[in-house]
């Protein structure tokens, strides 16, 4: 069978496409180096990828892992911030970023990250609670008050949290605001002595 | 370059360092330091902290009865009290009230109760008032603790309580107010809002009125709607002090980050710090005023010859862990190569002997590694036990060794014997025992180390950084265990910074924040680089170690071995201070004795100078951060005479290492610097601009440097890295 030039070209392109699909990407290669704790080689593979446009979240996360493995927290955080930018609204990623800020003792960074998260996910009770606690701890009363209003808008189901929210509301001189939520809580647990 | 100089000095250090260190064990037989009555003129520097064993203290293991360790005074107040130069003993007021003889040793009493019931509150109140009558200070934090008769189940009348406490001049009037909108601040001074501002809604309060004219209120609250409602919530006076509940400390609400699991609050990344507390009041100023110690010299363990003390110790576990840093290398080998060999800093290295012993979990390789490390001139030996007890109280160990049942004799005596007989160079000894696991040890365990003449350390977990910006997390120097003392570290190890090695593994580098924040605005702790061998299991962990050591070697520190630091803590425990009659044209004069290896007295807020001609056993002094640090020599007794302006005199302003053989020969100064690493010193009292000949003799080599005195008459010079350098200046 004799193939035309066009057919030959189509065949070659098809083979290349198959190869591209079946071989791991450069990011996968980076992850494999990270898995073997060869962070320097992972970095060598991953960093050039970030010079191109349209970098994926996965690439940024791999880069963050490589920098973490090499013990460079500033670069790890920068890469995780970029990953969060590439995947807006990803709760798991934002929480990881918040944790890394916290491990780096950057509590303001933790709060900033959580604030972004709850702006996108106002129903995320756990993050709201954590953020309320952080602002209270930081003595940022105006921000605590802002988050408290979001917490109070939720149904507070747990007695310990209801008590904590009441304590913070009292500290912020906003105990009256907490009463409707606590009434809802009491009504929901009417049978609970 | 640094490494080459260090290695050149190594052989000489090995000999001289060991010789200089040889007598060390005897200095650590401190153990029990019974309180004794102060002699005439002597200033009692012991405080008795009362706790109630019938109260409970919240721990990660749940609520436990209060003890000399588990109580608010130990957890929060002892650190500032130690910093003020005070020793703190503990007594269970639910068991008994100390008699007059026992109380004769004390400057005062500290109570920090969280409940108001007591078996015999009337007897307690009489006892408390009797302390003030006897001239001792009484300091009450939060609850008075005696409003309710526990046995009879009845409350005491407020007037009866106030009447009983007449010598303190505190009138308890009740009127509990909880509505924040009704509470206003009428007066507050600089003692308040120390670590955070008051919130918009103030905590509730009850009315206490300080009736003595010589009392000084620091915080006065009142109700907006009620006359005669003023309450002195924080007040000090010649009788002591009172700080009412709600206005001593801020306590964060323990929010969980997991709405589905309330218990996760403890373990969640944010959970721990949200359980944290901060001081509403300045504990240094408050306790200083309440115990009346403002102008006293403080025995100070943070400083040696004007420089901040540096010490480092490695807990032995993980020595045999395979490291990712280098193919096939053990973590211990990486630490040896990358830290011990590279940094000319003293390190106390311990091993878990079962991890080293080839007959148990070790190998010929681990044994050889341990010997190599212990032979290094910058290493002193420690033991980290035999089987690494995780829980010393229950005898739970990390390693299940065939046929072994936990015993203190094996863990302590056995491990020390193994190290000394199998691992150490001839003539050297184990100097430090580093508690493992929970580090909560019994009096018997400490007695065992005391019998061996070995200092003990671990526990404490100091942090002061952006996550924990409070002195509440700065540990005191020690904890009382029966009649003995367990010494705390001065910083947390890498375990806490890496969340028990769940990551991030670079976490330990943030210990630098604690080092900075325990130096300024006041120096409350030495630099203590404390880690495990497994810190080098991960590359990120090793990079963190490097970052910390690179920082340390650039600082103007006084590097010493851990045993030397602990000998200074021994001296802190035993030091006695006497106020002498003020000599003519002097501010004050003090005598200090029984201070053992402690070498620094600190006078806070003092611009005074030391008149060396009218002082004894004083090398010199320096001013830092508003405090006067006075450097003492090895003599068992020192006299310090403070004056407004120093007479013409030459003295030691600072030195990087231990100073001995100090002598004045006409206008010339002579002394010896000894220890590990690059040495330097600063001498004061020279004519500004003068070129001063400083002769440095190091073994057979001698050289002369000629620094020029600064405008302040200060001459500074480097003295090389030899283990012993003789200096003659002027």
């Amino acid at each position: 069978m004799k193939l035309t030039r066009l057919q030959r070209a189509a065949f070659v392109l098809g083979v290349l496409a198959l190869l591209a699909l079946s071989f791991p990407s450069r990011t996968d290669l980076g992850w494999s180096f990270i898995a073997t704790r060869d962070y320097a080689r992972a970095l060598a593979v991953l960093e050039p990828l970030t010079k191109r446009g349209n970098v994926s979240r996965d690439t940024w996360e791999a880069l963050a892992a490589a920098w973490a493995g090499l013990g460079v927290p500033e670069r790890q955080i920068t890469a995780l911030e970029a990953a969060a930018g590439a995947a807006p609204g990803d709760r798991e990623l934002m929480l990881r970023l918040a944790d890394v800020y916290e491990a780096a003792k950057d509590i303001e960074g933790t709060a900033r990250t959580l604030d972004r998260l709850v702006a996108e996910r106002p129903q995320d009770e756990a993050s709201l609670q954590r953020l309320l606690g952080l602002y209270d701890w930081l003595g940022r009363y105006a921000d605590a008050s802002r988050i408290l209003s979001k917490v109070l808008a939720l149904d507070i189901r747990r007695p310990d949290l209801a008590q904590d929210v009441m304590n913070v509301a009292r500290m912020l001189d906003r105990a009256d605001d907490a009463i409707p939520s606590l009434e809802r809580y009491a009504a929901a647990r009417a049978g609970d002595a | 370059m640094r490494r080459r100089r260090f290695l050149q000095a190594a052989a000489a250090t090995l000999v001289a360092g060991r010789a200089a260190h040889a007598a060390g064990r005897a200095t650590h037989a401190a153990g029990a330091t019974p309180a004794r009555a102060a002699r005439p003129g002597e200033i009692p520097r012991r405080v008795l902290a009362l706790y109630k064993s019938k109260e409970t203290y919240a721990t990660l293991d749940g609520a436990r009865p209060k003890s000399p360790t588990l109580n608010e005074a130990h957890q929060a107040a002892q650190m500032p009290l130690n910093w003020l130069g005070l020793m703190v003993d503990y007594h269970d007021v639910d068991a008994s009230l100390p008699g007059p003889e026992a109380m004769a040793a004390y400057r005062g009493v500290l109570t920090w109760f969280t409940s108001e019931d007591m078996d015999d509150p009337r007897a307690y109140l009489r006892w408390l008032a009797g302390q003030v009558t006897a001239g001792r200070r009484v300091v009450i934090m939060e609850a008075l603790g005696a409003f309710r008769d526990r046995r009879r189940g009845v409350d005491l009348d407020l007037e009866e309580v106030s009447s009983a406490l007449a010598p303190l001049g505190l009138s308890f009037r009740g009127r509990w107010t909880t509505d924040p909108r009704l509470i206003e601040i009428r007066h507050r001074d600089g003692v308040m809002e120390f670590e955070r501002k008051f919130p918009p809604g103030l905590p509730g309060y009850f009315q206490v009125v300080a009736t003595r004219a010589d009392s000084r209120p620091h915080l006065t609250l009142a109700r907006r709607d009620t006359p005669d409602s003023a309450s002195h919530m924080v007040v000090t006076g010649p009788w002591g002090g009172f700080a009412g509940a709600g206005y001593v400390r801020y306590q964060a609400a323990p929010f969980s980050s997991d709405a589905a699991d309330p218990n996760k609050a403890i373990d969640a990344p944010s959970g721990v710090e949200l359980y944290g507390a901060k001081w509403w009041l300045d504990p240094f100023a408050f306790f200083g005023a309440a115990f009346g110690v403002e102008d006293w010299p403080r025995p100070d363990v943070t400083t040696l010859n004007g420089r901040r003390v540096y010490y480092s110790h490695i807990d032995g576990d993980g020595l045999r862990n395979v490291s990712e840093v280098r193919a096939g290398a053990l973590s211990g080998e990486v630490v040896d190569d990358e830290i011990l060999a590279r940094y000319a800093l003293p390190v106390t290295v311990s091993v878990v002997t079962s991890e080293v012993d080839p007959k148990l979990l070790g190998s010929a390789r681990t044994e050889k590694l341990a010997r190599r490390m212990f032979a290094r001139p910058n290493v002193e030996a420690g033991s980290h036990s035999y089987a690494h007890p995780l829980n010393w109280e229950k005898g739970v160990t990390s390693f299940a060794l065939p046929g072994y049942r936990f015993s203190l004799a094996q863990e302590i005596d056995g491990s020390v014997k193994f190290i000394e007989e199998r691992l150490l160079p001839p003539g050297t000894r184990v100097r430090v025992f580093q508690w493992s696991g929970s580090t909560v040890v019994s009096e018997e365990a400490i007695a065992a180390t005391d019998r061996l003449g070995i200092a003990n350390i671990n526990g404490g977990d100091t942090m002061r950084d952006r996550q924990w910006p409070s002195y509440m997390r700065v540990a005191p120097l020690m904890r009382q265990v029966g009649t003995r003392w367990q010494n705390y570290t001065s910083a947390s190890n890498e375990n806490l910074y890496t969340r028990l090695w769940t990551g991030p593994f670079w976490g330990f580098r943030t210990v630098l924040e604690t080092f900075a924040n325990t130096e300024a605005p006041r120096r409350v702790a030495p630099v203590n680089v404390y880690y495990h061998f497994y810190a080098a299991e991960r590359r990120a962990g090793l990079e963190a170690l490097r970052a910390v050591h690179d920082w340390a070697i650039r600082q103007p520190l006084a590097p010493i071995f851990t045993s030397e630091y602990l000998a200074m803590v021994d001296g802190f425990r035993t030091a006695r201070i006497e106020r002498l009659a003020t000599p003519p044209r002097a501010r004050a004069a003090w005598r200090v004795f029984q201070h053992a290896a402690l070498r620094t007295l600190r006078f806070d807020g003092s611009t005074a100078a030391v008149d060396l001609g009218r002082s004894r056993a004083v090398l010199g002094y320096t001013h830092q951060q508003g405090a006067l640090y006075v450097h003492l020599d090895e003599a068992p007794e020192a006299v310090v005479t403070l004056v407004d302006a120093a007479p013409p005199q030459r003295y030691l302003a600072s030195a990087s290492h231990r100073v001995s053989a100090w002598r004045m020969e006409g206008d010339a100064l002579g002394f010896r610097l000894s220890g590990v690493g690059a040495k330097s010193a600063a001498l004061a009292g020279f004519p500004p601009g003068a070129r001063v000949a400083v002769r440095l003799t190091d073994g057979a080599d001698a050289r002369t440097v000629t620094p020029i005195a600064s405008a302040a008459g200060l001459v500074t010079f480097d003295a090389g890295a030899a283990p012993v350098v003789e200096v003659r200046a002027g």
Side-chain angles (χ1 to χ4, degrees):
Chain A
M1 187 176 69
K2 195 165 184 175
L3 296 174
T4 65
R5 182 176 291 180
L6 191 62
Q7 284 171 322
R8 281 202 299 272
F11 176 76
V12 169
L13 283 174
V15 168
L16 287 175
L18 276 174
L19 285 172
L21 286 172
S22 56
F23 277 81
S25 69
R26 301 291 289 172
T27 298
D28 290 334
L29 188 59
W31 277 119
S32 67
F33 284 132
I34 290 165
T36 57
R37 299 184 180 180
D38 191 346
Y39 307 113
R41 290 178 76 184
L43 210 58
V45 169
L46 294 165
E47 278 229 298
L49 300 182
T50 64
K51 306 288 189 283
R52 304 172 188 170
N54 205 18
V55 184
S56 73
R57 165 205 163 143
D58 192 36
T59 301
W60 285 119
E61 282 197 276
L63 194 63
W67 283 119
L70 288 167
V72 188
E74 304 81 10
R75 296 289 190 93
Q76 181 190 3
I77 287 172
T78 302
L80 273 181
E81 284 280 12
D90 187 302
R91 181 174 187 269
E92 180 268 335
L93 187 55
M94 294 293 272
L95 289 178
R96 194 138 46 86
L97 179 59
D99 286 350
V100 174
Y101 272 122
E102 195 168 81
K105 305 292 182 182
D106 185 350
I107 306 306
E108 295 286 350
T110 306
R112 198 168 53 244
T113 305
L114 290 173
D115 220 332
R116 274 160 50 198
L117 176 59
V118 300
E120 292 164 1
R121 294 171 167 266
Q123 300 299 315
D124 186 345
E125 181 182 329
S127 297
L128 281 169
Q129 297 285 358
R130 184 176 169 191
L131 188 56
L132 178 59
L134 275 180
Y135 281 141
D136 173 35
W137 168 251
L138 290 166
R140 287 173 55 173
Y141 297 123
D143 287 314
S145 183
R146 175 170 57 81
I147 299 302
L148 178 66
S149 65
K150 295 187 179 187
V151 173
L152 294 175
L154 302 174
D155 179 23
I156 304 169
R157 297 177 302 278
R158 286 165 37 201
D160 57 326
L161 286 185
Q163 183 61 53
D164 293 338
V165 168
M166 186 63 206
N167 289 341
V168 174
R170 188 188 292 276
M171 179 173 276
L172 297 174
D173 205 6
R174 290 188 53 178
D176 288 353
D177 293 0
I179 288 172
S181 294
L182 295 175
E183 284 176 344
R184 284 201 304 275
Y185 160 75
R189 298 178 65 98
D192 186 346
Chain B
M1 182 64 188
R2 180 193 305 142
R3 185 182 184 187
R4 188 185 304 162
R5 279 169 61 190
F6 174 49
L7 293 176
Q8 283 169 348
T13 310
L14 179 61
V15 176
R18 294 265 155 69
H21 222 45
R25 267 204 178 180
T27 64
H28 288 298
T33 48
R36 73 186 84 183
R39 46 190 258 175
E42 184 182 346
I43 293 171
R45 51 178 291 264
R46 298 184 91 94
V47 165
L48 187 67
L50 304 181
Y51 67 92
K52 294 181 183 178
S53 58
K54 290 180 182 172
E55 290 180 351
T56 56
Y57 195 89
T59 73
L60 291 177
D61 300 328
R64 296 179 65 176
K66 286 191 177 171
S67 68
T69 300
L70 298 176
N71 68 78
E72 284 73 10
H74 176 71
Q75 299 292 332
Q78 188 183 321
M79 189 285 287
L81 290 170
N82 285 165
W83 188 79
L84 290 166
L86 295 168
M87 269 292 294
V88 185
D89 300 327
Y90 292 85
H91 183 85
D92 179 9
V93 76
D94 276 337
S96 65
L97 290 170
E101 271 188 36
M103 290 308 298
Y106 291 103
R107 169 129 196 104
V109 174
L110 170 68
T111 73
W112 195 328
F113 301 134
T114 54
S115 67
E116 288 295 359
D117 56 343
M118 194 175 274
D119 282 349
D120 190 350
R122 289 182 176 85
Y124 171 73
L125 292 171
R126 279 195 303 276
W127 180 89
L128 207 58
Q131 301 311 312
V132 174
T133 306
R136 284 183 279 278
R137 306 276 181 133
V138 168
V139 180
I140 300 166
M141 308 295 285
E142 300 194 338
L144 172 64
F147 279 118
R148 185 170 174 80
D149 188 323
R150 187 188 288 145
R151 288 179 304 191
R152 296 180 184 174
V154 295
D155 293 339
L156 270 64
D157 184 75
L158 288 178
E159 282 189 20
E160 181 186 1
V161 171
S162 301
S163 175
L165 293 180
L168 287 73
L170 291 179
S171 174
F172 290 86
R173 301 185 183 175
R175 299 182 182 178
W176 180 245
T177 300
T178 57
D179 187 344
R181 286 166 301 188
L182 296 179
I183 305 170
E184 65 177 6
I185 295 173
R186 290 273 172 85
H187 163 77
R188 79 189 116 182
D189 66 13
V191 170
M192 301 310 301
E193 297 187 295
F194 179 59
E195 289 183 337
R196 64 185 284 137
K197 298 284 182 193
F198 287 131
L202 291 167
Y205 82 101
F206 62 93
Q207 193 181 17
V208 183
V209 178
T211 57
R212 281 177 57 152
D214 54 5
S215 290
R216 182 181 161 209
H218 303 288
L219 177 68
T220 305
L221 304 176
R223 284 179 67 115
R224 296 177 202 274
D225 63 341
T226 310
D228 190 28
S229 60
S231 179
H232 300 129
M233 288 304 287
V234 179
V235 60
T236 56
W239 49 272
F242 169 78
Y247 290 89
V248 172
R249 53 180 167 161
Y250 156 85
Q251 183 69 54
F255 285 104
S256 169
S257 63
D258 186 343
D261 181 5
N263 295 322
K264 198 174 175 184
I266 295 283
D267 298 323
S270 282
V272 174
E273 109 268 358
L274 291 179
Y275 268 99
K278 296 178 187 174
W279 288 100
W280 289 123
L281 58 77
D282 177 347
F284 305 102
F286 176 80
F287 288 127
F291 284 108
V293 298
E294 289 95 333
D295 70 334
W296 289 14
R298 333 277 195 215
D300 187 307
V301 301
T302 68
T303 303
L304 177 65
N305 298 323
R307 296 260 197 118
R308 188 182 189 189
V309 164
Y310 168 97
Y311 70 99
S312 175
H313 64 299
I314 306 175
D315 280 356
D317 30 335
L319 172 141
R320 65 200 168 104
N321 291 15
V322 175
S323 171
E324 73 178 25
V325 172
R326 215 169 53 221
L330 304 181
S331 296
E333 291 167 340
V334 174
V335 167
D336 187 42
D337 294 342
E338 303 294 332
I339 305 296
L340 302 183
R342 285 179 189 271
Y343 294 92
L345 290 165
V347 192
T348 304
V349 173
S350 69
V351 294
V352 178
T353 54
S354 63
E355 277 202 287
V356 174
D357 189 345
K359 292 178 184 163
L360 297 169
L361 306 171
S363 62
R365 183 178 174 184
T366 56
E367 193 172 40
K368 186 178 169 191
L369 168 63
R371 285 181 184 144
R372 186 167 73 235
M373 288 190 292
F374 286 137
R376 290 196 179 278
N378 59 330
V379 168
E380 76 167 2
S383 170
H384 197 43
S385 78
Y386 169 70
H388 196 272
L390 295 169
N391 186 324
W392 288 79
E393 295 164 302
K394 296 178 181 172
V396 178
T397 59
S398 286
F399 306 124
L401 302 170
Y404 175 61
R405 285 189 62 188
F406 172 82
S407 81
L408 287 179
Q410 183 58 32
E411 295 295 342
I412 297 171
D413 304 66
S415 67
V416 168
K417 187 167 186 281
F418 179 90
I419 294 168
E420 292 188 340
E421 291 182 354
R422 298 278 298 270
L423 305 178
L424 297 193
T428 55
R429 311 292 297 270
V430 170
R431 317 304 299 270
V432 179
F433 197 92
Q434 299 166 214
W435 305 115
S436 60
S438 70
T439 73
V440 179
V441 297
S442 64
E443 185 175 5
E444 292 72 26
I446 299 173
T449 59
D450 286 347
R451 275 197 303 276
L452 292 171
I454 294 175
N456 77 83
I457 194 169
N458 279 352
D461 296 337
T462 285
M463 279 193 196
R464 189 163 189 269
D465 50 38
R466 282 174 293 172
Q467 188 180 19
W468 291 99
S470 173
Y471 286 108
M472 289 270 182
R473 276 297 302 267
V474 179
L477 297 178
M478 65 200 88
R479 78 179 186 102
Q480 179 186 326
V481 185
T483 60
R484 298 183 185 272
W485 298 94
Q486 176 180 342
N487 299 305
Y488 283 144
T489 64
S490 309
S492 296
N493 64 43
E494 89 292 358
N495 257 339
L496 289 184
Y497 288 103
T498 57
R499 297 171 180 166
L500 302 179
W501 280 96
T502 59
F505 301 113
W506 44 256
F508 189 51
R509 65 169 57 206
T510 61
V511 74
L512 296 178
E513 281 195 29
T514 288
F515 293 158
N517 293 330
T518 50
E519 167 67 3
R522 56 179 63 75
R523 183 179 295 163
V524 295
V527 171
N528 174 204
V529 177
Y530 168 33
Y531 56 99
H532 296 79
F533 279 118
Y534 50 66
E537 189 178 325
R538 299 276 189 158
R539 178 169 294 282
L542 176 64
E543 292 305 324
L545 285 182
R546 283 181 176 147
V548 171
H549 285 82
D550 285 342
W551 173 88
I553 207 118
R554 291 194 306 268
Q555 307 305 308
L557 300 169
I560 58 176
F561 283 115
T562 305
S563 66
E564 296 177 280
Y565 164 72
L566 295 173
M568 289 164 58
V569 176
D570 282 347
F572 177 90
R573 273 194 280 271
T574 56
R576 300 171 74 179
I577 296 168
E578 183 181 336
R579 189 194 290 269
L580 301 175
T582 305
R585 302 178 308 283
R587 279 193 192 181
W590 304 89
R591 186 170 83 94
V592 59
F593 54 107
Q594 291 183 14
H595 52 289
L598 184 126
R599 292 286 176 270
T600 298
L601 294 178
R602 193 187 76 245
F603 296 82
D604 289 329
S606 178
T607 56
V610 179
D611 183 342
L612 296 175
R614 292 192 285 172
S615 299
R616 272 205 317 272
V618 175
L619 303 174
Y621 60 95
T622 189
H623 291 92
Q624 289 173 34
Q625 299 188 115
L628 166 67
Y629 288 82
V630 179
H631 327 321
L632 307 180
D633 73 10
E634 315 99 313
E637 178 180 316
V639 171
V640 180
T641 300
L642 300 182
V643 292
D644 288 332
Q649 56 187 357
R650 293 187 178 172
Y651 60 93
L652 181 74
S654 69
S656 62
H657 287 74
R658 191 168 292 284
V659 170
S660 58
W662 177 265
R663 60 206 179 275
M664 293 287 300
E665 297 160 351
D667 274 350
L669 289 175
F671 60 95
R672 181 179 303 138
L673 283 170
S674 54
V676 173
K679 295 169 183 63
S680 61
L683 304 174
F686 291 87
R691 188 173 288 278
V692 178
V694 179
R695 186 169 176 76
L696 306 167
T697 308
D698 141 24
D701 295 331
R703 63 194 169 100
T704 299
V705 295
T706 52
I708 296 173
S710 70
L714 211 59
V715 167
T716 59
F717 56 91
D718 292 330
V724 178
V725 180
E726 299 288 345
V727 181
R728 192 173 188 283

